[in-house]
Amino acid sequence: MACYISSIEGNRQKLDGGAMFGNAPKALWSQWIAADENNCVELACRAMLLELENTKILFETGIGAFFEPKLALRYGVQNSKEHVLLENLDELGVSEEDIDYVVLSHLHFDHAGGLLPKFDEIRKGKKYLHFPRAKYVLGSVAFERARRPHPRDKASYIPLLNELLEKSGRLQLVQEGTSAGLIEDHLSFIFSEGHTPGQMHSIIRGEHETIFFCGDLIPGVAWVHAPITMGYDRFPEKLIDEKHRFYAGDTHRNILLFYTHDPVYCVSKFSKSENGKIKAVDKVERLERLVL
């Protein structure tokens, strides 16, 4: 069965560069991503589309346009009145009604906010989820975290989204070590805890390539280097250990890493230097129906 992968750009955002690079000094991270006059860096909120003969699976939905203007400004949401992800899907010839599954690594607003309608619609009382035919696939631990967040990351979640997912009748929760029953010959899940408890990563295996949906384990090329973490990570030391374990796995050699937040590149491979440093190689800016 042929598998086709496309990168789908959503609304971009700008966040504080220091927050995005944790304890790495600006003198270092500014070599990788330029900051503006407010010390903010531009970030993608990118989704991935997997197309098979009779099934279309969307991996995440980006930040969307659900924020009220004040919060959209605070979080640097660009084109905040437009749902850019849906527009870009449409340009590819895919409507939201065509999507059979939406797979969510976790429910932070920059990864799942695109499920919600635009703010102007919410203000008028329209509360619904995009992708009306789709089942929403999510790790059970990540969903519980969203329902009962810690005060430190409470602002990263959307109570309305949790409510609508529960009421949808189409929420499919995945336990660690089990399969969601989706195209089992091609798709499997592994979990990480360092960024947020229960983050679910998808591994898609095709005849020619294997792709790993990084989520916030590795947000982009700059974070491939194992010691680089974000200030948003709940357990940075654990996250570094998780990256090292992933890089050491024989089954992950020559794998494509898919990035949600890199401002330029959607995928790369990785290599290890003689001194053991991991770096991104074979970087690609855009995918349109790459045959896996």
Side-chain angles (χ1 to χ4, degrees), residues 260-279:
T260 57
H261 291 313
D262 194 280
V264 178
Y265 302 107
C266 64
V267 298
S268 80
K269 294 183 179 180
F270 69 88
S271 68
K272 182 182 293 187
S273 66
E274 291 183 0
N275 63 4
K277 181 178 179 179
I278 306 297
K279 64 178 182 179

Side-chain angles (χ1 to χ4, degrees), residues 53-91:
E53 184 178 0
N54 298 311
T55 306
K56 288 181 172 61
I57 303 175
L58 184 67
F59 296 82
E60 299 197 342
T61 63
I63 199 168
F66 75 95
F67 270 132
E68 62 178 284
K70 180 177 69 175
L71 291 178
L73 181 64
R74 177 184 300 175
Y75 292 112
V77 182
Q78 301 181 20
N79 301 311
S80 61
K81 294 184 179 181
E82 305 299 326
H83 199 312
V84 174
L85 181 83
L86 294 182
E87 294 173 1
N88 285 330
L89 277 172
D90 188 61
E91 285 190 11

